[in-house]
Amino acid sequence: MKSTSALPPLALLVSGCSGAQSVLNAEGHAAIELKALILGIIFVCAVVWLLVTIALVLALVRRRDRNDGAISERKAAAVVSGAVGATVLVITGLTIASFYTTRALSEAPGPELTIDVTAQQWWWRFTYGGSNSADAFATANELHIPVGKVVRLRLRSSDVIHSFWVPSLAGKQDLIPGRENTLTLRAERPGVYRGQCAEFCGLQHSHMALFVIAEAQADYERWAERQRGPVAEPTEAEAVAGKAAFMAKQCAACHTIRGTRASGTTGPDLTHIASRRTIAAGLLENTRGSLAAWIADPQTLKPGTHMPLVPLTSDELRQLAVYMEGLE
Amino acid sequence: MTEDRKQSPLMDDRLDDAELERHLLQSWQTPGGIWKALATVDHKTIARRYIVTAFVFLILGGLLAVAMRIQLAQPEARILDPDRYNQIFTMHGSTMMFLFAVPVMEAMAIYLVPLMVGTRNIAFPRLNAFSYWIILAGGLLLWISFALDAAPDVGWFAYVPLSGPEYGSGKRADIWAQMITFTELSALAVAVEIVVTVFKQRAPGMSLDRIPLLVWSMLVMAFIVIMAMPAIMFASSTLILDRLVETQFYNPAAGGDALLWQHVFWFFGHPEVYIIFLPAAGMVSTIVATFSRRAIFGYLPLVMAFIATGILAFGLWVHHMFVVGLPRLGESFFTASSMAIAVPAGIQVFCWLATLWLGRPVFATPLLFVIGFIVTFVIGGLTGVMVASVPFDTQVHDTYFVVAHFHYVLVGGAVFPLLGAIYYWFPKMTGRMMSERLGRWAFGLIFLGFNLTFFPMHILGLLGMPRRVYTYQPDLPWGGLNLFISLSALLLVSGFLVFFIDVLRAWRSGLPAGPNPWKAATLEWATSSPPPAYNFRRIPVVDACDPLWMHPEELAVTAGLRVDRRELIVSSVVEALPEARESSPRDSIWPFWAAIATSIMLIGSIFTPWAVVWGAIPVAVTLIGWFWPKGTAEDAS
Amino acid sequence: MKERAALDVSKLPLHGMGAASPAWWGTCGFMLIEGSAFALAIAIYFYLFSIAPNWPIDAPVPDLSPGSVLTLLLLASIVPNILVSRWAKARALAKVRIGLIVMSLLEAAPLAPRIFEFPAMHVSWDENAYGSIVWTLLGLHTAHVITDLIDTLVLTCLMFTRYGDNTRRYGDVEDNCLYWNFVIVAWLPLYVCIYWVPRL
Amino acid sequence: MMPGKVLNSNVAQPLVTILFFLLLVGLAALIGLARQPRQYRTDPPVAAALNQLRLMPGGIGGAPPEIYFALDRPYETSAYDLSQGKRLYSWFGCASCHGDGRGGAGPSLLDGWWLYGPSVVAIAASIRDGRPRGMPAFGSRMTTDQIWQLAGYVKTIGAYSASLAAPSRNDDKHTRPAENRAPAAILFNEAPPVPPRSDQGPSP
């Protein structure tokens, strides 16, 4: 009933813009190290499991002689001690391996770029260039980084505990209220990497995705330049009407569009929303249709989200979507 | 005392067997009637209730799991809304951990420990009755709140600040915290009973090196409960204080700390796993020995491994917190200690393998479950080694890999042995045999269904699927595996269905078992099945680890106990030399009233802190009623 | 299975005392549980201490006098407590009765300075984490004092009834004395924590 | 002897347990009929109906629309809506004038004096349409649903007695007891109120 209205935009879901979100698809410095360690440990453990299972099967089906009592008891004691010794060796080896990986990961050189990450229910705010410098800008749910550069993320939460996890680039790190954590990334290859909140954070924990876009330094600079720049002024009549609706309706109270009256900080910064691949923290592909669907009824698409259902006429809705689409 | 001597009470050495049984029954049996049923303190009756209750919660928790699997079978499914889903996974975890796994292991201890150490009732039987009513009240609190749409929705470890005053609106988190208080209260009571029963009520001659391994494992489990549960009681109380009267334990703005919760919770939460696993290890040791037809290989190393596990269990809670940003050096220490616990686990597995190797295995259903246990538990243990590694854990923490890992440990490591134990001790508890044919079916379906359900979750985790998501998007490569898992879960459910059908069938019309159907070695098989209210006609005297194998024809017993009152033998801790003829309390309704008074106080305190004050008065009154002497023969000295 | 009488236990006492009594072990078990709880509370005190920029948080150090008076009162009750325990072991009914009355008073006495201890913290439980933990420590210990006081009062009444002169009751008195000693011993680290650690 | 035999302990115990369960699950189902699920989405027609505030002349006091009662007064009784209201209190900058509730540039919300009457509908109207002497109108900035949530919250913090459904303290530093613990009654005489007019609601 309610959900049928949600299906068309859902069916339009992203095809090209979701990078794989997989530990095994390692494209970052840390993730590559981790993948090697993970596969190594899994291999060792698989061998151990195989040996134990073989021993179990043999113990169950072996042919039994009449009187092998006392001798085999002693032999068994020797074998068991040997196996315990082997266990000690294996886990010592794994401990050392894991220790060296930890050390290798924490020996990264100083950061060439620092980005502030603030998590809130249920989206990500990325602030570039410090919070009060003139050319600082904020974006949401989409993190652009230059390939091959060491990027340091300052992780903070403004409500509950979240966890920043982009498996193709690095292991996860929690964002904890009252504390600041850091995570260092270095993408080795350009690409789009999907990530997701990994610590249960309430109703819409499932829909708190982000994309990391690693691109060549020049592309990154171009992107940052445009983000820093002013908002695109609407020219089309529909878009102009959309802007008016945006300012007149409740939208402006929570969202910022730099260069306009809209300066709310509760929701994501929309100055360059059209440059993003998805909306609503990775929920929908960023198209006019899904923008309209999202604005029309966020609570059906993402029940419990803090974006309220604002009653709009269909004209207003279309105009708003057109306006949003023009905010490149 | 002199008075009693003059009256020369009825002693068991002057009676023939039939006469003795009649008198013992008169002293020990609870007469029929609902009212009397509420007052009984027989450990077997209470344990049976505990077990039935725990399995009811297993079924309820399992149904929740099925609901989650239906929701996750396809991407963006809208069968459950996120609020309901969050309540369901919280209920599933809390029910399985606090209302099924821990209570059922304690229940097995309550049933088996007194029988295996050769005594007539558990120590503090009234406390035992109390503990049952308390856990029942806690379970009902949780499930009634679920029916009221007010079930906790913060996960079974209820991290603050999500569960704290600002973000956990309503009474949901308070209900979770108070449910914890109920279950811990009952667990602590049972732990004390087990410790004292094992220390002081062993049959004469059952020195420490002759204690059955199951009893050892239960003893270590009881000590872990005693050391670990205060942590969770403290955690849940401070949470409710934060929410109700504004203390600031978890508020960073006022000097508190969100991570403090995680430290305190996991200081309990990790040992909790061993509270569940160690009894299972004891069951495995027992079943392996019985069906290998030989004494367990490596009794001493096994005991040492149990104790080492119990101690190490307290040194690795931080491995649940590897991604919260603690200093790396400290994390490396916890990697080492977490890995180290693989050594005692390895010792146990190798000793069981050696026992099977040296013995002549009989492939009865209990042994099948043990074989399934070894295969799956080793996987769970090895993935445990994996997540103990800090760098490994940063990738799989809070993903389906971890979900797979702990289901392998808890279902593979504890539920498989438990099901084996039910098949093994069912004849003792009911006097009837379960079906071998259905047992094989149940084992086959559960083993296959379990592995098909949970093994793919490892892969899902590596493919990046976080846990506790109510849905996922269709473009993510998780759909196929999730559908496969949901279908496999049906197989697992059908296996449990066969098991429960077998239980019901056997309870009604199973073949009579006789006292010792498996030709086992420990004392519980020396009495009839089911055991009479007094457990043993005469208390056995023990001179070996496997008394019934050493002396298959006759049982050495004591003589000289009174039969006109409930009397048993208290013996010394190490050598089990008899020290006194102690009386065991009669049935009493007071524990029931005390449990009701305590429940009113605890539930009231969800709503107002003053409930602790006015609620304490009826609790004190019922406790005085409980302990006030009634002038029965049991009070004589 | 045939039974063979191997051991005659008819000469054993009908109730063990001290370590031969399950009740004694039960008391020890509960002391272990509560000891763990106290140890944990102290650990949390130091945890909060370690993350706070200054300690106590936004409050002067607590006044020494009520806590010290309470400590002295508790320590003073050790001697009569041990005496009562000995009399109970010797089954001296009259002495135990008097001793229990005295102990009831001595156990109620610390509640008076305890009332003044809470304001002496100069911080309310809801002001900050420091206030929360010291109030919790005091509250936890007060709960133990009150529990043991009620136990002592009930035992005192019991000793004046016809059930009084009974090995079990004497055992109960001994266990109660043991528990009161635990309440005293548990207080000492709390006292150091609450009153002296902030002064370091 | 017969009933005793029928109800011998072996059969009676599981029976008692199962009976107990059935009884209590039945009880739960009964109470369950009265349960109140959380609502995240207000249907636009419902929101429009909720927006029909019937106020007395002068905007003082009034009656909520019929639908408010049909919905069972959710904004005053649902803990979820109340805590959402609390969130909105900080998100929409109420604190810049009303402080933590004790007032500042704007009047105190905790002293028991309601300039326009203590009914939730008057509070909602104040938020939606604004009031003379500085209270801005939020009708264009908040949705009807949000206005009601905020109004419910504001009514709770200034209530005369604590209610079971109430949000509790914030994790930021706070200066007064949380809403769930103490109603504002302890602050009723704290600040001298603006001199009351008889038509501006009852005094405490």
Side-chain angles (χ1 to χ4, degrees), chain A residues 17 19 115 126 128 140-147 151 166 169 185 187 189-194 210-216 219-220 223 275-278:
Chain A
C17 65
I115 303 166
F126 302 112
Y128 286 72
N141 304 325
E142 204 168 288
L143 181 71
H144 284 247
I145 57 170
V147 165
V151 180
V166 183
L169 295 180
L185 299 179
R189 268 180 290 279
V192 179
Y193 307 113
R194 191 181 191 272
L210 70 139
F211 288 90
V212 177
I213 291 138
E215 50 202 357
D219 292 337
Y220 168 75
W223 172 83
S275 71
R276 297 182 204 145
R277 285 145 195 267
T278 63

Side-chain angles (χ1 to χ4, degrees), chain A residues 21 23 49 62 64-65 73 98 159 165 167 172-174 179 181 194 198-199 206-207 282-283 300, chain B residues 76 78 167 257 294 323-324 350 356-357 359-360 375 379 389 394-395 397-398 462-464 468 470 473:
Chain A
Q21 174 178 322
V23 173
W49 180 79
R62 79 183 180 100
R64 278 152 171 92
D65 300 330
E73 183 104 3
S98 116
D159 40 45
W165 186 39
K172 60 182 74 65
Q173 186 68 261
D174 284 357
R179 286 174 179 252
N181 280 334
R194 191 181 191 272
E199 180 63 65
S206 318
H207 291 133
L283 180 67
T300 298
Chain B
E76 289 290 358
R78 300 225 154 200
Y167 298 98
D257 185 23
R294 57 156 287 142
V323 298
V324 302
F350 300 140
L356 286 170
W357 184 282
R360 293 167 188 280
V375 173
I379 296 180
S389 153
T394 59
Q395 282 286 33
H397 179 78
D398 269 340
L462 292 176
L463 288 180
R468 299 179 161 179
Y470 79 97
Q473 286 160 274

Side-chain angles (χ1 to χ4, degrees), chain D residues 170-183:
Chain D
N170 266 345
D171 275 352
D172 25 314
K173 262 219 182 300
H174 69 291
T175 47
R176 64 176 204 86
E179 295 82 358
N180 66 330
R181 199 174 112 219

Side-chain angles (χ1 to χ4, degrees), chain B residues 254-256, chain C residues 45-61 128-131 197-200, chain D residues 173:
Chain C
Y45 179 91
F46 281 105
Y47 180 88
L48 292 171
F49 184 5
S50 73
I51 59 168
N54 44 28
W55 194 260
I57 302 172
D58 295 340
V61 291
N128 54 44
Y130 165 72
V197 168
R199 290 185 151 76
L200 287 179
Chain D
K173 262 219 182 300

